[in-house]
Amino acid sequence: MKKTLYIVMFIGFALFSMTSVNAQTTEKSDKIVYKTTVKETPQKVKEALKDYSGYKISQKASYTKNKNRKTYKFKVEKGNWSHYLLIDENGKIVGIETGEHNKNS
């Protein structure tokens, strides 16, 4: 009786351990981030940035290539808060990444 209890406990522990191992796996990202500056971006991207004239726009930028399309990422700040602006190479704003990007952190 004790042997079966130990076997059941061992199997239960093994199953519980396997689920936590699977939960910790991460997918490999094939995205490569390239560094650039605002001056080196296409003209359409610069025109899209003009809508944020009240913000402080970092001169450093980055871009990623997704399915033959480049997406540029700029840090824009206003007051103590900042966020990241995502613009594709055609000048279309495709997203904004917000969060706790406080200057004092």
CSV table of all heavy atoms in Angstrom, one decimal, residues 37-94:
chain,number,residue,atom,x,y,z
A,37,THR,N,19.2,57.0,-36.7
A,37,THR,CA,18.9,58.4,-36.1
A,37,THR,C,17.7,58.9,-36.9
A,37,THR,O,17.4,58.4,-38.0
A,37,THR,CB,20.1,59.3,-36.3
A,37,THR,OG1,20.4,59.5,-37.6
A,37,THR,CG2,21.3,58.8,-35.5
A,38,VAL,N,17.2,60.0,-36.4
A,38,VAL,CA,16.0,60.6,-37.0
A,38,VAL,C,16.5,61.2,-38.4
A,38,VAL,O,15.7,61.1,-39.4
A,38,VAL,CB,15.5,61.8,-36.1
A,38,VAL,CG1,14.4,62.6,-36.9
A,38,VAL,CG2,14.9,61.2,-34.8
A,39,LYS,N,17.7,61.7,-38.5
A,39,LYS,CA,18.1,62.2,-39.8
A,39,LYS,C,18.2,61.2,-40.9
A,39,LYS,O,18.1,61.5,-42.1
A,39,LYS,CB,19.5,62.9,-39.6
A,39,LYS,CG,19.5,64.2,-38.8
A,39,LYS,CD,20.8,64.8,-38.6
A,39,LYS,CE,20.8,66.0,-37.8
A,39,LYS,NZ,22.1,66.6,-37.6
A,40,GLU,N,18.5,59.9,-40.5
A,40,GLU,CA,18.6,58.9,-41.5
A,40,GLU,C,17.3,58.2,-41.9
A,40,GLU,O,17.3,57.3,-42.7
A,40,GLU,CB,19.6,57.8,-41.0
A,40,GLU,CG,21.0,58.4,-40.7
A,40,GLU,CD,21.9,57.4,-40.0
A,40,GLU,OE1,21.4,56.3,-39.6
A,40,GLU,OE2,23.1,57.7,-40.0
A,41,THR,N,16.2,58.6,-41.3
A,41,THR,CA,14.9,58.0,-41.6
A,41,THR,C,14.3,58.5,-42.9
A,41,THR,O,14.7,59.6,-43.3
A,41,THR,CB,13.9,58.2,-40.5
A,41,THR,OG1,13.8,59.6,-40.3
A,41,THR,CG2,14.4,57.5,-39.2
A,42,PRO,N,13.4,57.8,-43.5
A,42,PRO,CA,12.8,58.3,-44.8
A,42,PRO,C,12.0,59.6,-44.5
A,42,PRO,O,11.6,59.9,-43.4
A,42,PRO,CB,11.9,57.2,-45.2
A,42,PRO,CG,12.4,56.0,-44.5
A,42,PRO,CD,13.0,56.4,-43.2
A,43,GLN,N,11.8,60.3,-45.6
A,43,GLN,CA,11.1,61.6,-45.5
A,43,GLN,C,9.6,61.4,-44.9
A,43,GLN,O,9.2,62.3,-44.2
A,43,GLN,CB,11.1,62.3,-46.8
A,43,GLN,CG,10.5,63.7,-46.8
A,43,GLN,CD,11.3,64.7,-45.9
A,43,GLN,OE1,12.5,64.5,-45.8
A,43,GLN,NE2,10.6,65.6,-45.3
A,44,LYS,N,9.0,60.4,-45.3
A,44,LYS,CA,7.6,60.2,-44.9
A,44,LYS,C,7.5,59.9,-43.4
A,44,LYS,O,6.6,60.4,-42.7
A,44,LYS,CB,7.0,59.0,-45.6
A,44,LYS,CG,6.7,59.2,-47.1
A,44,LYS,CD,6.1,58.0,-47.7
A,44,LYS,CE,5.9,58.2,-49.2
A,44,LYS,NZ,5.3,57.1,-49.8
A,45,VAL,N,8.5,59.3,-42.8
A,45,VAL,CA,8.6,59.1,-41.4
A,45,VAL,C,8.8,60.4,-40.7
A,45,VAL,O,8.2,60.7,-39.6
A,45,VAL,CB,9.7,58.1,-41.0
A,45,VAL,CG1,9.9,58.0,-39.5
A,45,VAL,CG2,9.4,56.7,-41.7
A,46,LYS,N,9.7,61.3,-41.2
A,46,LYS,CA,9.9,62.6,-40.6
A,46,LYS,C,8.7,63.4,-40.6
A,46,LYS,O,8.4,64.2,-39.7
A,46,LYS,CB,11.1,63.3,-41.4
A,46,LYS,CG,12.4,62.7,-41.2
A,46,LYS,CD,13.5,63.4,-42.0
A,46,LYS,CE,14.8,62.6,-42.0
A,46,LYS,NZ,15.8,63.2,-42.9
A,47,GLU,N,7.9,63.3,-41.7
A,47,GLU,CA,6.6,64.1,-41.8
A,47,GLU,C,5.6,63.6,-40.7
A,47,GLU,O,4.9,64.4,-40.2
A,47,GLU,CB,6.0,64.0,-43.2
A,47,GLU,CG,6.8,64.7,-44.2
A,47,GLU,CD,6.3,64.4,-45.7
A,47,GLU,OE1,5.3,63.8,-45.8
A,47,GLU,OE2,7.0,64.9,-46.6
A,48,ALA,N,5.6,62.3,-40.4
A,48,ALA,CA,4.7,61.8,-39.4
A,48,ALA,C,5.2,62.3,-38.0
A,48,ALA,O,4.3,62.5,-37.2
A,48,ALA,CB,4.7,60.3,-39.4
A,49,LEU,N,6.4,62.5,-37.8
A,49,LEU,CA,6.9,63.0,-36.5
A,49,LEU,C,6.6,64.5,-36.3
A,49,LEU,O,6.5,64.9,-35.2
A,49,LEU,CB,8.5,62.9,-36.5
A,49,LEU,CG,9.0,61.5,-36.2
A,49,LEU,CD1,10.5,61.4,-36.3
A,49,LEU,CD2,8.5,60.9,-34.9
A,50,LYS,N,6.2,65.2,-37.4
A,50,LYS,CA,5.9,66.6,-37.2
A,50,LYS,C,4.6,66.8,-36.4
A,50,LYS,O,4.3,67.8,-35.8
A,50,LYS,CB,5.7,67.3,-38.6
A,50,LYS,CG,7.0,67.5,-39.3
A,50,LYS,CD,6.9,68.1,-40.6
A,50,LYS,CE,8.2,68.3,-41.3
A,50,LYS,NZ,8.1,68.8,-42.7
A,51,ASP,N,3.7,65.7,-36.4
A,51,ASP,CA,2.5,65.8,-35.6
A,51,ASP,C,2.8,65.8,-34.1
A,51,ASP,O,1.9,66.1,-33.3
A,51,ASP,CB,1.6,64.5,-35.9
A,51,ASP,CG,1.1,64.6,-37.3
A,51,ASP,OD1,1.0,65.7,-37.9
A,51,ASP,OD2,0.7,63.5,-37.8
A,52,TYR,N,4.0,65.5,-33.7
A,52,TYR,CA,4.4,65.4,-32.3
A,52,TYR,C,5.4,66.6,-32.0
A,52,TYR,O,6.4,66.4,-31.3
A,52,TYR,CB,5.1,64.1,-32.0
A,52,TYR,CG,4.1,63.0,-31.9
A,52,TYR,CD1,3.6,62.3,-33.1
A,52,TYR,CD2,3.5,62.6,-30.7
A,52,TYR,CE1,2.7,61.3,-33.0
A,52,TYR,CE2,2.6,61.6,-30.6
A,52,TYR,CZ,2.2,61.0,-31.8
A,52,TYR,OH,1.2,60.0,-31.7
A,53,SER,N,5.1,67.8,-32.6
A,53,SER,CA,6.0,68.9,-32.4
A,53,SER,C,6.0,69.4,-31.0
A,53,SER,O,7.0,70.0,-30.5
A,53,SER,CB,5.6,70.1,-33.3
A,53,SER,OG,4.2,70.5,-33.0
A,54,GLY,N,5.0,69.1,-30.2
A,54,GLY,CA,5.0,69.5,-28.8
A,54,GLY,C,5.8,68.6,-27.9
A,54,GLY,O,5.9,68.9,-26.7
A,55,TYR,N,6.3,67.5,-28.4
A,55,TYR,CA,7.0,66.5,-27.7
A,55,TYR,C,8.5,66.7,-27.9
A,55,TYR,O,8.9,67.2,-29.0
A,55,TYR,CB,6.6,65.1,-28.1
A,55,TYR,CG,5.2,64.7,-27.6
A,55,TYR,CD1,4.1,65.2,-28.3
A,55,TYR,CD2,5.0,63.9,-26.5
A,55,TYR,CE1,2.8,64.8,-27.9
A,55,TYR,CE2,3.7,63.5,-26.1
A,55,TYR,CZ,2.6,64.0,-26.8
A,55,TYR,OH,1.4,63.6,-26.4
A,56,LYS,N,9.3,66.2,-27.0
A,56,LYS,CA,10.7,66.1,-27.2
A,56,LYS,C,11.0,64.8,-27.8
A,56,LYS,O,10.7,63.7,-27.2
A,56,LYS,CB,11.5,66.2,-25.9
A,56,LYS,CG,13.0,66.1,-26.0
A,56,LYS,CD,13.7,66.2,-24.7
A,56,LYS,CE,15.2,65.9,-24.9
A,56,LYS,NZ,15.8,65.7,-23.6
A,57,ILE,N,11.5,64.8,-29.1
A,57,ILE,CA,11.8,63.5,-29.8
A,57,ILE,C,13.3,63.2,-29.7
A,57,ILE,O,14.1,64.0,-30.1
A,57,ILE,CB,11.3,63.7,-31.3
A,57,ILE,CG1,9.8,64.0,-31.3
A,57,ILE,CG2,11.6,62.4,-32.0
A,57,ILE,CD1,9.3,64.4,-32.7
A,58,SER,N,13.6,62.0,-29.3
A,58,SER,CA,15.0,61.6,-29.2
A,58,SER,C,15.5,61.5,-30.6
A,58,SER,O,14.9,61.0,-31.5
A,58,SER,CB,15.0,60.2,-28.4
A,58,SER,OG,16.4,59.8,-28.5
A,59,GLN,N,16.8,61.9,-30.7
A,59,GLN,CA,17.4,61.8,-32.0
A,59,GLN,C,17.9,60.3,-32.3
A,59,GLN,O,18.1,60.0,-33.5
A,59,GLN,CB,18.7,62.7,-32.1
A,59,GLN,CG,18.3,64.2,-32.0
A,59,GLN,CD,17.4,64.5,-33.2
A,59,GLN,OE1,17.6,64.2,-34.4
A,59,GLN,NE2,16.3,65.2,-32.9
A,60,LYS,N,18.0,59.5,-31.3
A,60,LYS,CA,18.3,58.1,-31.5
A,60,LYS,C,17.0,57.3,-31.8
A,60,LYS,O,16.0,57.6,-31.3
A,60,LYS,CB,18.9,57.5,-30.3
A,60,LYS,CG,20.3,58.1,-30.0
A,60,LYS,CD,20.8,57.5,-28.7
A,60,LYS,CE,22.1,58.1,-28.3
A,60,LYS,NZ,22.7,57.5,-27.1
A,61,ALA,N,17.1,56.4,-32.8
A,61,ALA,CA,15.9,55.6,-33.1
A,61,ALA,C,16.4,54.2,-33.5
A,61,ALA,O,17.6,53.9,-33.5
A,61,ALA,CB,15.2,56.3,-34.3
A,62,SER,N,15.4,53.3,-33.7
A,62,SER,CA,15.7,52.0,-34.1
A,62,SER,C,14.7,51.5,-35.1
A,62,SER,O,13.6,52.1,-35.1
A,62,SER,CB,15.8,51.1,-32.9
A,62,SER,OG,14.6,51.0,-32.2
A,63,TYR,N,15.0,50.5,-35.8
A,63,TYR,CA,14.0,49.9,-36.7
A,63,TYR,C,14.1,48.4,-36.8
A,63,TYR,O,15.2,47.9,-36.5
A,63,TYR,CB,14.0,50.6,-38.1
A,63,TYR,CG,15.2,50.2,-38.9
A,63,TYR,CD1,15.2,49.2,-39.8
A,63,TYR,CD2,16.3,51.0,-38.9
A,63,TYR,CE1,16.3,48.9,-40.6
A,63,TYR,CE2,17.4,50.8,-39.6
A,63,TYR,CZ,17.4,49.7,-40.5
A,63,TYR,OH,18.5,49.4,-41.3
A,64,THR,N,13.0,47.8,-37.1
A,64,THR,CA,13.0,46.3,-37.3
A,64,THR,C,12.4,46.0,-38.7
A,64,THR,O,11.6,46.8,-39.2
A,64,THR,CB,12.2,45.6,-36.3
A,64,THR,OG1,10.9,46.1,-36.2
A,64,THR,CG2,12.8,45.7,-34.9
A,65,LYS,N,12.8,45.0,-39.3
A,65,LYS,CA,12.3,44.6,-40.6
A,65,LYS,C,11.3,43.4,-40.4
A,65,LYS,O,11.6,42.4,-39.8
A,65,LYS,CB,13.4,44.0,-41.5
A,65,LYS,CG,14.4,45.1,-41.9
A,65,LYS,CD,15.4,44.5,-42.8
A,65,LYS,CE,16.4,45.6,-43.2
A,65,LYS,NZ,17.5,45.0,-44.1
A,66,ASN,N,10.0,43.7,-40.8
A,66,ASN,CA,9.0,42.7,-40.6
A,66,ASN,C,8.3,42.5,-42.0
A,66,ASN,O,7.7,43.5,-42.5
A,66,ASN,CB,7.9,43.2,-39.7
A,66,ASN,CG,8.4,43.4,-38.3
A,66,ASN,OD1,9.4,42.8,-37.9
A,66,ASN,ND2,7.8,44.2,-37.5
A,67,LYS,N,8.4,41.4,-42.6
A,67,LYS,CA,7.8,41.0,-43.9
A,67,LYS,C,8.0,42.1,-44.9
A,67,LYS,O,7.1,42.7,-45.5
A,67,LYS,CB,6.3,40.8,-43.7
A,67,LYS,CG,5.9,39.7,-42.7
A,67,LYS,CD,4.5,39.6,-42.5
A,67,LYS,CE,4.2,38.5,-41.5
A,67,LYS,NZ,2.8,38.4,-41.2
A,68,ASN,N,9.3,42.4,-45.2
A,68,ASN,CA,9.7,43.4,-46.2
A,68,ASN,C,9.2,44.8,-45.9
A,68,ASN,O,9.0,45.6,-46.8
A,68,ASN,CB,9.2,43.0,-47.6
A,68,ASN,CG,9.8,41.6,-48.0
A,68,ASN,OD1,10.9,41.3,-47.6
A,68,ASN,ND2,9.0,40.9,-48.8
A,69,ARG,N,8.9,45.1,-44.6
A,69,ARG,CA,8.5,46.4,-44.2
A,69,ARG,C,9.3,46.8,-43.0
A,69,ARG,O,9.5,46.0,-42.1
A,69,ARG,CB,7.0,46.4,-43.9
A,69,ARG,CG,6.5,47.8,-43.5
A,69,ARG,CD,5.0,47.7,-43.2
A,69,ARG,NE,4.9,47.2,-41.8
A,69,ARG,CZ,3.7,47.2,-41.2
A,69,ARG,NH1,2.6,47.4,-41.8
A,69,ARG,NH2,3.7,46.8,-40.0
A,70,LYS,N,9.8,48.0,-42.9
A,70,LYS,CA,10.6,48.5,-41.8
A,70,LYS,C,9.6,49.3,-40.9
A,70,LYS,O,8.8,50.1,-41.3
A,70,LYS,CB,11.7,49.5,-42.2
A,70,LYS,CG,12.8,48.8,-43.0
A,70,LYS,CD,13.9,49.8,-43.4
A,70,LYS,CE,15.0,49.2,-44.2
A,70,LYS,NZ,16.0,50.1,-44.6
A,71,THR,N,9.8,49.1,-39.6
A,71,THR,CA,9.0,49.8,-38.6
A,71,THR,C,10.0,50.5,-37.7
A,71,THR,O,10.9,49.9,-37.1
A,71,THR,CB,8.1,48.8,-37.7
A,71,THR,OG1,7.3,48.1,-38.6
A,71,THR,CG2,7.3,49.6,-36.7
A,72,TYR,N,9.9,51.8,-37.6
A,72,TYR,CA,10.8,52.7,-36.9
A,72,TYR,C,10.2,52.9,-35.5
A,72,TYR,O,9.0,53.1,-35.3
A,72,TYR,CB,11.0,54.0,-37.6
A,72,TYR,CG,11.8,53.8,-38.9
A,72,TYR,CD1,11.2,53.6,-40.1
A,72,TYR,CD2,13.2,54.0,-38.9
A,72,TYR,CE1,11.9,53.4,-41.2
A,72,TYR,CE2,13.9,53.8,-40.0
A,72,TYR,CZ,13.2,53.5,-41.2
A,72,TYR,OH,14.0,53.4,-42.3
A,73,LYS,N,11.1,53.0,-34.5
A,73,LYS,CA,10.7,53.2,-33.1
A,73,LYS,C,11.4,54.4,-32.5
A,73,LYS,O,12.6,54.5,-32.6
A,73,LYS,CB,11.0,52.0,-32.3
A,73,LYS,CG,10.6,52.0,-30.8
A,73,LYS,CD,10.9,50.7,-30.2
A,73,LYS,CE,10.4,50.7,-28.7
A,73,LYS,NZ,10.7,49.4,-28.1
A,74,PHE,N,10.6,55.4,-32.1
A,74,PHE,CA,11.2,56.7,-31.5
A,74,PHE,C,10.7,56.9,-30.1
A,74,PHE,O,9.5,56.6,-29.8
A,74,PHE,CB,10.7,57.9,-32.4
A,74,PHE,CG,11.0,57.8,-33.8
A,74,PHE,CD1,10.2,57.2,-34.7
A,74,PHE,CD2,12.2,58.3,-34.3
A,74,PHE,CE1,10.5,57.2,-36.1
A,74,PHE,CE2,12.6,58.2,-35.6
A,74,PHE,CZ,11.7,57.7,-36.5
A,75,LYS,N,11.5,57.4,-29.3
A,75,LYS,CA,11.1,57.8,-27.9
A,75,LYS,C,10.7,59.2,-27.9
A,75,LYS,O,11.5,60.1,-28.3
A,75,LYS,CB,12.3,57.6,-26.9
A,75,LYS,CG,11.9,57.8,-25.5
A,75,LYS,CD,13.1,57.5,-24.6
A,75,LYS,CE,12.6,57.8,-23.1
A,75,LYS,NZ,13.7,57.5,-22.2
A,76,VAL,N,9.5,59.5,-27.5
A,76,VAL,CA,9.0,60.8,-27.4
A,76,VAL,C,8.6,61.1,-25.9
A,76,VAL,O,8.1,60.3,-25.2
A,76,VAL,CB,7.8,61.1,-28.3
A,76,VAL,CG1,8.2,61.0,-29.8
A,76,VAL,CG2,6.6,60.1,-28.1
A,77,GLU,N,8.9,62.4,-25.5
A,77,GLU,CA,8.7,62.7,-24.1
A,77,GLU,C,7.9,64.0,-24.0
A,77,GLU,O,8.0,64.9,-24.9
A,77,GLU,CB,10.1,63.0,-23.4
A,77,GLU,CG,11.0,61.8,-23.4
A,77,GLU,CD,12.3,62.1,-22.7
A,77,GLU,OE1,12.3,62.9,-21.7
A,77,GLU,OE2,13.3,61.5,-23.1
A,78,LYS,N,7.1,64.1,-23.0
A,78,LYS,CA,6.4,65.3,-22.7
A,78,LYS,C,6.3,65.4,-21.2
A,78,LYS,O,5.6,64.5,-20.5
A,78,LYS,CB,5.0,65.4,-23.3
A,78,LYS,CG,4.4,66.7,-23.3
A,78,LYS,CD,3.1,66.8,-24.2
A,78,LYS,CE,2.7,68.2,-24.3
A,78,LYS,NZ,1.6,68.3,-25.3
A,79,GLY,N,6.9,66.4,-20.6
A,79,GLY,CA,7.0,66.4,-19.1
A,79,GLY,C,7.8,65.3,-18.5
A,79,GLY,O,8.9,65.0,-19.0
A,80,ASN,N,7.2,64.6,-17.5
A,80,ASN,CA,7.9,63.5,-16.9
A,80,ASN,C,7.6,62.2,-17.6
A,80,ASN,O,8.2,61.2,-17.2
A,80,ASN,CB,7.5,63.4,-15.4
A,80,ASN,CG,8.1,64.5,-14.6
A,80,ASN,OD1,9.2,65.0,-15.0
A,80,ASN,ND2,7.5,64.8,-13.5
A,81,TRP,N,6.7,62.2,-18.5
A,81,TRP,CA,6.2,60.9,-19.1
A,81,TRP,C,6.8,60.8,-20.5
A,81,TRP,O,7.0,61.7,-21.3
A,81,TRP,CB,4.7,60.9,-19.2
A,81,TRP,CG,4.2,60.9,-17.8
A,81,TRP,CD1,3.6,62.0,-17.1
A,81,TRP,CD2,4.1,59.9,-16.8
A,81,TRP,NE1,3.3,61.7,-15.9
A,81,TRP,CE2,3.6,60.4,-15.6
A,81,TRP,CE3,4.5,58.5,-16.9
A,81,TRP,CZ2,3.4,59.6,-14.5
A,81,TRP,CZ3,4.4,57.8,-15.8
A,81,TRP,CH2,3.8,58.3,-14.6
A,82,SER,N,7.0,59.5,-20.9
A,82,SER,CA,7.5,59.3,-22.2
A,82,SER,C,6.8,58.0,-22.8
A,82,SER,O,6.3,57.2,-22.0
A,82,SER,CB,9.0,59.1,-22.2
A,82,SER,OG,9.4,58.0,-21.5
A,83,HIS,N,6.8,57.8,-24.0
A,83,HIS,CA,6.4,56.6,-24.7
A,83,HIS,C,7.1,56.4,-26.0
A,83,HIS,O,7.9,57.3,-26.4
A,83,HIS,CB,4.9,56.6,-24.9
A,83,HIS,CG,4.3,57.7,-25.7
A,83,HIS,ND1,4.0,59.0,-25.2
A,83,HIS,CD2,4.1,57.8,-27.0
A,83,HIS,CE1,3.6,59.7,-26.2
A,83,HIS,NE2,3.6,59.0,-27.3
A,84,TYR,N,6.9,55.3,-26.5
A,84,TYR,CA,7.6,54.9,-27.8
A,84,TYR,C,6.6,54.9,-28.9
A,84,TYR,O,5.5,54.3,-28.8
A,84,TYR,CB,8.3,53.6,-27.7
A,84,TYR,CG,9.5,53.6,-26.7
A,84,TYR,CD1,9.4,53.3,-25.4
A,84,TYR,CD2,10.7,54.0,-27.2
A,84,TYR,CE1,10.4,53.3,-24.5
A,84,TYR,CE2,11.8,54.1,-26.3
A,84,TYR,CZ,11.7,53.7,-25.0
A,84,TYR,OH,12.7,53.8,-24.2
A,85,LEU,N,7.0,55.6,-30.0
A,85,LEU,CA,6.1,55.7,-31.1
A,85,LEU,C,6.6,54.8,-32.3
A,85,LEU,O,7.8,54.8,-32.6
A,85,LEU,CB,6.2,57.2,-31.6
A,85,LEU,CG,5.2,57.7,-32.7
A,85,LEU,CD1,3.8,57.5,-32.2
A,85,LEU,CD2,5.5,59.1,-33.0
A,86,LEU,N,5.7,54.0,-32.8
A,86,LEU,CA,6.1,53.1,-33.9
A,86,LEU,C,5.5,53.6,-35.2
A,86,LEU,O,4.3,53.8,-35.3
A,86,LEU,CB,5.5,51.7,-33.6
A,86,LEU,CG,6.0,51.1,-32.2
A,86,LEU,CD1,5.2,49.8,-31.9
A,86,LEU,CD2,7.4,50.8,-32.2
A,87,ILE,N,6.4,53.8,-36.2
A,87,ILE,CA,6.0,54.4,-37.5
A,87,ILE,C,6.5,53.5,-38.6
A,87,ILE,O,7.7,53.1,-38.5
A,87,ILE,CB,6.5,55.8,-37.7
A,87,ILE,CG1,6.0,56.7,-36.5
A,87,ILE,CG2,6.0,56.4,-39.0
A,87,ILE,CD1,6.6,58.1,-36.5
A,88,ASP,N,5.7,53.1,-39.5
A,88,ASP,CA,6.3,52.3,-40.6
A,88,ASP,C,6.9,53.2,-41.7
A,88,ASP,O,6.9,54.4,-41.6
A,88,ASP,CB,5.2,51.4,-41.3
A,88,ASP,CG,4.2,52.1,-42.1
A,88,ASP,OD1,4.2,53.4,-42.2
A,88,ASP,OD2,3.3,51.4,-42.7
A,89,GLU,N,7.6,52.6,-42.6
A,89,GLU,CA,8.4,53.3,-43.6
A,89,GLU,C,7.6,54.2,-44.5
A,89,GLU,O,8.1,55.1,-45.2
A,89,GLU,CB,9.3,52.4,-44.4
A,89,GLU,CG,8.5,51.4,-45.2
A,89,GLU,CD,9.5,50.4,-45.8
A,89,GLU,OE1,10.7,50.6,-45.8
A,89,GLU,OE2,8.9,49.3,-46.3
A,90,ASN,N,6.2,54.0,-44.5
A,90,ASN,CA,5.4,54.8,-45.3
A,90,ASN,C,4.8,56.0,-44.6
A,90,ASN,O,4.0,56.8,-45.1
A,90,ASN,CB,4.2,54.0,-45.9
A,90,ASN,CG,4.7,52.9,-46.8
A,90,ASN,OD1,5.6,53.2,-47.6
A,90,ASN,ND2,4.1,51.8,-46.8
A,91,GLY,N,5.2,56.2,-43.3
A,91,GLY,CA,4.8,57.3,-42.5
A,91,GLY,C,3.5,57.1,-41.7
A,91,GLY,O,3.0,58.0,-41.1
A,92,LYS,N,3.0,55.8,-41.7
A,92,LYS,CA,1.8,55.5,-41.0
A,92,LYS,C,2.2,55.1,-39.5
A,92,LYS,O,3.1,54.3,-39.3
A,92,LYS,CB,1.1,54.3,-41.6
A,92,LYS,CG,-0.2,53.9,-40.9
A,92,LYS,CD,-0.8,52.8,-41.7
A,92,LYS,CE,-2.1,52.4,-40.9
A,92,LYS,NZ,-2.7,51.1,-41.4
A,93,ILE,N,1.5,55.7,-38.6
A,93,ILE,CA,1.7,55.4,-37.2
A,93,ILE,C,1.0,54.1,-36.9
A,93,ILE,O,-0.2,53.9,-37.0
A,93,ILE,CB,1.2,56.5,-36.2
A,93,ILE,CG1,2.0,57.8,-36.5
A,93,ILE,CG2,1.4,56.1,-34.8
A,93,ILE,CD1,1.5,59.0,-35.8
A,94,VAL,N,1.8,53.0,-36.6
A,94,VAL,CA,1.3,51.7,-36.4
A,94,VAL,C,1.1,51.3,-34.9
A,94,VAL,O,0.5,50.3,-34.6
A,94,VAL,CB,2.1,50.6,-37.1
A,94,VAL,CG1,2.1,50.8,-38.6
A,94,VAL,CG2,3.6,50.7,-36.6
